[in-house]
Amino acid sequence: MAGDDAATPPTAEMPSASLNPSPERRRRECIASIVGRGAVSDELIGKRIRVGGWVKTGREQGKGAFAFLELNDGSCLSNLQVIVNASVFPLAQLVHTGTSVLVEGELKKPPEGVKQRVELHADRVLEDGPADPSSYPIPKTRLTLEFLRDIVHLRPRTNTISAIARIRDELAYATHTFFRENGFRYVHTPIITTSDCEGAGEMFQVTTLFSDAEKLEKDLKNNPSPSESEIEDAKLLVKKNGEDVAHLKSLKARKEEISASVLKLNKAKESLAKLEERFNLKPGIPQKDGKIDYSRDFFGRQAFLTVSGQLQVETHACAVGNVYTFGPTFRAEHSHTSRHLAEFWMIEPEIAFADLEDDMYYAEEYVKFLCRWLLDHCIEDMEFMVKNYDKSAIDRLKLVSSEPFKRISYTEAVELLCSVTDKKFENKVEWGVDLASEHERYLTEVIFKRPVIVYNYPKEIKAFYMRLNDDKKTVAAMDVLVPKVGELIGGSQREERYDALVERITSAGLPLEPYHWYLVLRKFGTVKHCGFGLGFERMIMFATGIDNIRDVIPFPRYPGRADL
């Protein structure tokens, strides 16, 4: 209509402020682009820029005439020195550690003889977020990683945790880059699952039975169930209305009268059904035959948080070729060691038309790629780790990225470890036992002094989906062992033979029904395929030298702790 046309301007006349920002809308520069390693700061000298960050240290100088602020925005380890005059902003509001500021000014070269390459002379303070120095929990002094776990919401402000965050980000980007360059497709596998990949049973259950029971208990308290007499009255009403319908039909009453009576009867029946349904509601967890009735649960069956996306991602490997998944996994294991978390991240590629040899090849190339990536893209943060946590961190990355991995069978590894005389292992070494971390590290750090791939493990200590070898004693499994952490990758060729897989599942004491769909993959166009899993946090521990896995994940979850 004419009125609508007048109210809506033509597209060509509409304002486009988001596409053509005013000169006042200046883009914030990352401090990494100014003072980070490789930054071209000289090109910015004399230019007006805008930066935002948090004050690491601040001090008033010249009897309160100006202040020096060491500003960090998390984009790199280095700080940018900012000078603010008292005439620009009240200095007392800016100098406390933890204060956030958004400032604008001119980048200048500092006087000769100072360590800074550039400094920002701020003539505008656009925003400030004060931090009370009496209660801010991150002082200038060094804090332990254990202490920082109690302030997980603020610990990214520290040099260590921010460096780990950047290293973690680079490793994630490198992961996607590697698999993209090698023709893999990224698949999102479910976090909620009804099958146990590892068969260990240490899974978090997903259920609404408890919350439903609480709601029902509250509901029954506020609106009690009907009494038996109310039920009887409702039944009598249904009976009476039924008799009325029959009587009208016997009299051959008008159609309208019969329909009205039938409608009345149906309403009485609906009312009775609702009353009986509510009468039968019982507080507590629903049970059947003395067991929890999971058919009343949200998914109609037991469901869990996944321990691995491997089984599900195999469905895509058997349809679209090489794929990988990268996501959170969960273990309800009551462990307080430095190597275990309840929630952690896994990278799990699956390779179609491939065997164990292919699996070892991709695993080695992937780990080498990650190490080279950190050396090329994250050296400043790695140098920080060398200085503060592990002097050998960079050398270890160089070693792993350049040396070919040693490959030995499990049997050979056991024989080598059994022949060791200069060290007494805490865990006994014999054929058939799973290698402990001390054994894995001895192989990599002492015997071979480089990464080792151990393959063909005893079937009793490996998962049901791993392909049984011809000797009927071992499976086509492999572990990639590296210095510092031991096992970094676990993988295998998958059992592609239907009958062999059925036998492996039943011998492991697992029910067949949850794995029906997995077995179907072996009935229709089965194919040899393999894959592996890399624990993302273990890779970060290996790279940085950080000893506790709780310090290399943004929000650690472990027994008794699930902060935020």
Side-chain angles (χ1 to χ4, degrees):
M1 291 184 287
D4 293 335
D5 292 340
T8 306
T11 303
E13 297 177 15
M14 294 181 69
S16 55
S18 60
L19 299 178
N20 300 294
S22 67
E24 286 295 306
R25 190 65 181 173
R26 190 184 299 274
R27 184 174 67 88
R28 179 176 69 88
E29 294 284 348
C30 289
I31 289 176
S33 68
I34 304 167
V35 296
R37 178 183 289 269
V40 288
S41 57
D42 288 346
E43 294 182 7
L44 296 173
I45 296 298
K47 292 187 177 181
R48 285 189 63 77
I49 65 167
R50 178 178 294 183
V51 297
W54 291 264
V55 175
K56 288 287 188 177
T57 62
R59 64 188 189 280
E60 295 186 40
Q61 294 286 90
K63 298 182 179 180
F66 61 93
F68 287 110
L69 307 179
E70 290 292 322
L71 207 63
N72 189 280
D73 65 358
S75 62
C76 66
L77 197 62
S78 301
N79 303 324
L80 173 65
Q81 181 166 279
V82 178
I83 301 174
V84 185
N85 288 325
S87 60
V88 173
F89 202 85
L91 302 182
Q93 297 181 34
L94 302 177
V95 295
H96 298 306
T97 299
T99 299
S100 67
V101 294
L102 179 66
V103 297
E104 192 173 289
E106 183 181 344
L107 266 184
K108 297 183 178 181
K109 277 190 174 293
E112 294 291 335
V114 299
K115 64 178 182 178
Q116 288 83 12
R117 290 180 290 160
V118 293
E119 58 188 17
L120 179 64
H121 290 247
D123 51 35
R124 295 180 70 192
V125 176
L126 303 170
E127 297 177 19
D128 80 299
D132 183 358
S134 65
S135 57
Y136 186 62
I138 305 179
K140 300 175 188 178
T141 56
R142 184 169 179 173
L143 301 170
T144 65
L145 295 176
E146 291 79 5
F147 173 81
L148 292 177
R149 290 176 210 145
D150 291 328
I151 50 170
V152 70
H153 54 297
L154 288 173
R155 69 177 186 170
R157 304 273 188 94
T158 64
N159 287 338
T160 296
I161 301 302
S162 64
I164 291 171
R166 289 186 293 271
I167 290 170
R168 185 183 179 97
D169 170 65
E170 290 292 344
L171 287 172
Y173 188 84
T175 291
H176 291 299
T177 302
F178 173 82
F179 288 115
R180 168 67 63 168
E181 291 180 354
N182 283 277
F184 284 70
R185 293 291 183 183
Y186 181 29
V187 177
H188 296 140
T189 50
I191 290 176
I192 299 174
T193 180
T194 56
S195 56
D196 182 358
C197 177
E198 300 300 326
E202 296 168 337
M203 304 176 75
F204 287 102
Q205 190 162 345
V206 177
T207 180
T208 60
L209 290 178
F210 293 97
S211 58
D212 288 346
E214 289 177 357
K215 289 177 184 177
L216 177 61
E217 185 178 355
K218 184 178 180 180
D219 182 37
L220 291 175
K221 185 177 180 181
N222 295 329
N223 302 289
S225 297
S227 63
E228 290 186 10
S229 62
E230 289 176 296
I231 297 293
E232 288 302 316
D233 289 344
K235 288 180 178 179
L236 289 173
L237 182 60
V238 169
K239 182 180 179 182
K240 178 181 177 303
N241 289 345
E243 291 172 347
D244 289 346
V245 170
H247 181 64
L248 288 172
K249 287 181 176 179
S250 67
L251 295 176
K252 296 183 178 179
R254 288 185 300 113
K255 185 177 180 180
E256 292 79 3
E257 288 183 87
I258 295 174
S259 296
S261 185
V262 169
L263 180 62
K264 195 175 179 181
L265 172 62
N266 288 338
K267 287 183 177 179
K269 287 181 177 180
E270 288 177 11
S271 178
L272 173 61
K274 290 179 180 178
L275 286 173
E276 287 180 326
E277 181 183 8
R278 191 161 183 81
F279 180 79
N280 291 324
L281 289 176
K282 305 297 180 185
I285 305 298
Q287 295 201 354
K288 184 177 182 180
D289 300 329
K291 297 180 180 179
I292 295 175
D293 184 6
Y294 285 106
S295 67
R296 304 271 296 278
D297 206 348
F298 186 90
F299 294 107
R301 60 190 298 183
Q302 279 186 289
F304 308 89
L305 294 181
T306 183
V307 299
S308 168
Q310 178 213 309
L311 299 189
Q312 289 83 0
V313 86
E314 281 188 51
T315 63
H316 280 59
C318 295
V320 297
N322 295 354
V323 292
Y324 73 105
T325 182
F326 183 0
T329 51
F330 308 85
R331 296 280 174 91
E333 186 176 359
H334 287 276
S335 174
H336 290 271
T337 73
S338 62
R339 291 159 54 92
H340 290 88
L341 287 169
E343 176 186 295
F344 53 99
W345 287 66
M346 290 286 290
I347 296 99
E348 297 175 293
E350 201 70 25
I351 310 152
F353 300 97
D355 57 18
L356 187 63
E357 189 71 27
D358 299 302
D359 207 32
M360 292 189 284
Y361 168 79
Y362 277 109
E364 178 172 345
E365 290 303 306
Y366 174 45
V367 173
K368 286 183 174 181
F369 186 88
L370 294 181
C371 294
R372 287 194 298 266
W373 188 276
L374 288 182
L375 292 171
D376 292 340
H377 297 87
C378 219
I379 195 63
E380 182 186 31
D381 290 316
M382 287 306 307
E383 287 173 346
F384 173 83
M385 292 297 162
V386 167
K387 180 180 178 181
N388 294 277
Y389 292 99
D390 186 350
K391 290 181 172 57
S392 62
I394 290 179
D395 290 338
R396 188 166 57 248
L397 291 179
K398 290 179 178 178
L399 169 72
V400 174
S401 65
S402 60
E403 289 289 326
F405 292 10
K406 178 67 177 180
R407 299 184 185 186
I408 59 171
S409 69
Y410 168 86
T411 301
E412 292 173 315
V414 169
E415 290 173 352
L416 283 172
L417 292 168
C418 286
S419 65
V420 172
T421 57
D422 60 346
K423 177 179 175 60
K424 185 174 178 60
F425 296 115
E426 293 182 10
N427 299 276
K428 186 179 180 181
V429 184
E430 60 181 357
W431 202 96
V433 303
D434 207 359
L435 298 181
S437 178
E438 60 174 335
H439 306 141
E440 296 167 344
R441 293 187 61 178
Y442 194 87
L443 287 169
T444 61
E445 296 171 11
V446 180
I447 296 180
F448 295 107
K449 296 182 173 59
R450 55 175 166 157
V452 178
I453 300 179
V454 179
Y455 60 91
N456 287 349
Y457 280 80
K459 66 177 183 179
E460 286 78 15
I461 61 175
K462 289 297 181 180
F464 68 88
Y465 52 76
M466 298 184 178
R467 195 183 200 276
L468 188 66
N469 288 326
D470 293 340
D471 61 12
K472 307 299 182 183
K473 297 179 180 179
T474 63
V475 288
M478 66 90 187
D479 288 343
V480 177
L481 315 179
V482 293
K484 183 69 179 178
V485 298
E487 181 190 341
L488 181 63
I489 282 178
S492 71
Q493 182 176 333
R494 315 312 189 189
E495 182 57 80
E496 87 283 4
R497 298 164 296 186
Y498 181 88
D499 293 339
L501 184 58
V502 168
E503 197 280 328
R504 290 279 286 149
I505 293 174
T506 53
S507 64
L510 298 172
L512 287 173
E513 190 274 332
Y515 303 100
H516 168 73
W517 62 271
Y518 191 65
L519 286 164
V520 164
L521 296 177
R522 276 71 181 168
K523 293 185 72 174
F524 305 119
T526 189
V527 57
K528 285 186 178 181
H529 59 288
C530 60
F532 60 82
L534 177 140
F536 196 47
E537 283 72 33
R538 286 200 179 183
M539 180 64 206
I540 301 170
M541 291 174 69
F542 161 74
T544 61
I546 296 293
D547 290 324
N548 199 307
I549 198 169
R550 299 171 184 178
D551 302 317
V552 298
I553 191 169
F555 307 102
R557 273 83 174 94
Y558 48 96
R561 294 296 292 268
D563 298 339
L564 279 64

